[in-house]
Amino acid sequence: MGAQRDLRRARRRGDLARRAAPELTREAGVVREARVPALVAPPGAGSTADIPFTNAAQAPGDVVILRKRGDRWTPVTAAAFAAAVESTAKGLIAAGLAPGDRIALMARTSYEWAVLDFAVWAAGGVSVPVYATSSAAQIEWILRDSGAAWCVVETAEHAAAARAAIGALGDGAAPPLWVLDEGALDDLAASGRDVPDGETGARRAALGQDSVATIVYTSGTTGRPRGCVLTHGNLHAESANLVELLKPVFEEVTGQTPATLVFLPLAHILGRTIQIACLSARIRIGHCPSVKPDELRPELASFRPTFLVGVPYLFEKIHDTGRATAERVGRGASFERADRVAVAWAEAALAAYHGTGPGPRPWLRLARGLYDLLVYRRVRKALGGRVRYAISGGSPLDRRLNLFFFGCGIVVYEGYGLTETTSAATIVPPLDPRPGTVGRPLPGTSVRIADDGEVLVRGGVVARAYWKDPTATRAARRGEWFATGDLGGLDEDGYLTITGRKKDIIVTSGGKNVSPSVLEDRLRSRPPVGQCMVVGEGRPFVAALVTLEPAALAHWLTVRKRPLDTPVEELREDPALRADVQRAVDYANEAVSRAEAIRAFTIVPGEFTEENGLLTPSLKVKRPAVADAYAEEVARLYGD
């Protein structure tokens, strides 16, 4: 397979292998700290705002973006993108945007979002991203807290929510509103024609690495979102080191011209920094406004990226779709064998790669070759057909699923980070894949494990502060370290494993501490489970609330020739359905001790969604909200 050959070829280049070598500090024989020197020094001057203009000066004809127009991807050169940014920035200046003013951007992932983001910076402003799915109340909070003087939205629906939010602010604080679908970029370009050509250059020259670039609001799992103040230096430390670490493998070793489809919300820091990194390195990108598999798959097929950056949900659904497709044509057992072969082959191949095993046996190589024709190439095709590498972040990816994709010819590198660390604080180095971990520190970053197991981060990626919240800023600091709130450990080679979230730890009535995330991540990775939440605080045992994933449930009903409109209330006690959920529970329980295992579950009606307030925009469960919504279900689990 191409990706595995690439790894072997790349390892022979010692310069690449040394790029992610960590320096380790041990205490009492245990690795407590890992740090990787920066690959790129902080620039002495300039800012993220300069990227489009630097590209246009150095390589004006290079294609940096492929823009979807109808059914075609139209190339946008570095010169054309810089011109669009310049004209939009002039329009913002003409409208009265002053240096340091905040401007809220609410839109799905799109070319226009990219233009606006860089235009705000070119005008000397600070961008404040807002999720396209936000309610009027959420928009109102972000506008009020950030003090945004301007607001840009995409659709009429967004505009209606924004106007309701603006109305709640009062006349004295109401920012002007532009709507992209109503020609906002053209209007801005027209209004900025009289702005002198040198004005944006002067404003960019006034920015430095310490200048505030953006205020990104956290997803707010337990309360109101907090604004993370990220500087241009933070964005550079993240994007420049990511590019320097990964591009030689994605480009030089593979011989491919790297290209990726950006589909994560640009209001989420991961999608945003990947876009910045790609534009700074002139790696071609396209934009897709949806992460829904049925809407994303045709875009992947037409764009044909060479690498992807996604969240576990994407990889879970690609796998589940393959299984469901096989079951519909009576080949479910064949898919299960292909799954087992891929995992077994990956385990053996990685052992050989790391020098700890002989490699796949002949029968396993033959089986893998057979299933490549029957199954694995279809998995690669579902991702566009050219993908050899993928990066997964946002939440842990099930180790077995990671191995499955490796067996299919796609190396998935996990990373770990938060909004406060400008996305990735760690990432699996490109020449040392280790499924089940979230990698080593990003170059220029250090990771330390505190005495209580909390993961601490230090480096150029760490946010300056929380916006207008010095109390929260101080609370998140441990001297020069940022306290992530996550629990984890470092292995002997400096790889980080995340074991849970401090604030989510459940303490049973017997005094057992249980990290629910380990159970939930594994449980959620198995159909027909959708979202789920582990409970048990102050209770005698651990239990789980389980929802059914709609597509998986529809498939389950179709295979059994039952009506698709059968309500969950009628199915929740169905022995066959409960047996399938129990298998998912059993898989989750394999990762924990008997005292931590899920001993009971209930299938609950409905879903956990952003719309009903049970999920954040980044698909994290709002635990207090779910506990309140399903209080009666929890009580029944424990016989109350």
Side-chain angles (χ1 to χ4, degrees), residues 202-385:
R203 293 199 179 195
R204 285 192 288 114
L207 297 173
Q209 294 298 296
D210 289 333
S211 301
V212 177
T214 184
I215 302 172
V216 183
Y217 281 79
T218 60
S219 53
T221 55
T222 58
R224 276 184 165 173
R226 290 185 295 201
C228 296
V229 179
L230 300 178
T231 65
H232 288 281
N234 291 143
L235 296 175
H236 179 271
E238 177 74 27
S239 59
N241 281 287
L242 269 177
V243 167
E244 194 65 20
L245 178 68
L246 298 177
K247 191 179 180 184
V249 172
F250 287 1
E251 182 177 57
E252 298 168 28
V253 174
T254 67
Q256 293 177 314
T257 298
T260 192
L261 187 66
V262 180
F263 51 83
L264 295 176
L266 290 172
H268 191 287
I269 192 61
L270 178 56
R272 190 100 165 283
T273 53
I274 290 299
Q275 174 169 271
I276 293 168
C278 289
L279 287 171
S280 69
R282 296 197 283 274
I283 293 172
R284 293 182 181 183
I285 63 172
H287 296 93
C288 175
S290 177
V291 297
K292 296 179 179 178
D294 289 344
E295 297 175 7
L296 178 58
R297 275 194 292 270
E299 301 300 289
L300 290 171
S302 63
F303 187 87
R304 303 193 71 226
T306 64
F307 71 97
L308 286 176
V309 181
V311 293
Y313 175 80
L314 169 68
F315 303 104
E316 290 165 4
K317 295 312 163 192
I318 293 294
H319 180 271
D320 291 349
T321 298
R323 185 203 309 270
T325 301
E327 288 178 350
R328 276 196 295 270
V329 295
R331 295 180 179 172
S334 179
F335 183 89
E336 294 300 330
R337 286 193 295 272
D339 183 284
R340 292 194 296 271
V341 165
V343 172
W345 184 92
E347 291 271 28
L350 283 171
Y353 180 75
H354 290 298
T356 59
R361 295 182 181 277
W363 72 265
L364 192 53
R365 291 198 297 269
L366 287 172
R368 193 215 183 197
L370 171 64
Y371 284 118
D372 187 66
L373 294 173
L374 299 176
V375 176
Y376 308 149
R377 66 175 180 175
R378 298 180 187 275
V379 172
R380 296 194 297 272
K381 184 177 180 181
L383 293 172

Side-chain angles (χ1 to χ4, degrees), residues 424-589:
T426 70
I427 190 166
V428 171
L431 302 186
D432 286 302
R434 193 164 297 189
T437 79
V438 292
R440 291 167 168 168
L442 183 76
T445 306
S446 300
V447 170
R448 182 172 179 81
I449 306 301
D451 291 342
D452 64 354
E454 184 172 11
V455 178
L456 310 178
V457 178
R458 180 179 63 187
V461 299
V462 176
R464 171 188 292 178
Y466 290 114
W467 178 254
K468 297 194 305 184
D469 197 341
T471 301
T473 301
R474 287 191 297 271
R477 295 286 176 173
R478 304 290 185 271
E480 59 186 356
W481 296 88
F482 168 72
T484 65
D486 289 312
L487 301 171
L490 292 164
D491 70 12
E492 286 300 303
D493 297 313
Y495 284 77
L496 177 67
T497 299
I498 299 297
T499 57
R501 186 88 177 141
K502 276 181 70 173
K503 66 184 180 183
D504 292 342
I505 292 295
I506 292 169
V507 182
T508 66
S509 59
K512 183 64 179 178
N513 286 10
V514 179
S515 176
S517 62
V518 175
L519 292 161
E520 290 165 354
D521 292 334
R522 289 173 67 92
L523 182 55
R524 197 179 57 248
S525 72
R526 289 291 183 268
V529 177
Q531 287 291 343
C532 59
M533 191 177 87
V534 169
V535 297
E537 179 67 30
R539 299 287 193 166
F541 58 86
V542 174
L545 302 174
V546 173
T547 71
L548 301 176
E549 204 278 324
L553 177 59
H555 171 69
W556 190 91
L557 291 167
T558 299
V559 168
R560 289 158 182 78
K561 296 180 171 56
R562 297 177 64 173
L564 292 178
D565 58 355
T566 305
V568 172
E569 288 80 357
E570 292 183 19
L571 292 169
R572 54 194 302 187
E573 298 304 326
D574 184 287
L577 182 61
R578 287 190 63 84
D580 284 347
V581 175
Q582 184 62 56
R583 278 190 283 273
V585 169
D586 293 342
Y587 176 71
N589 287 341

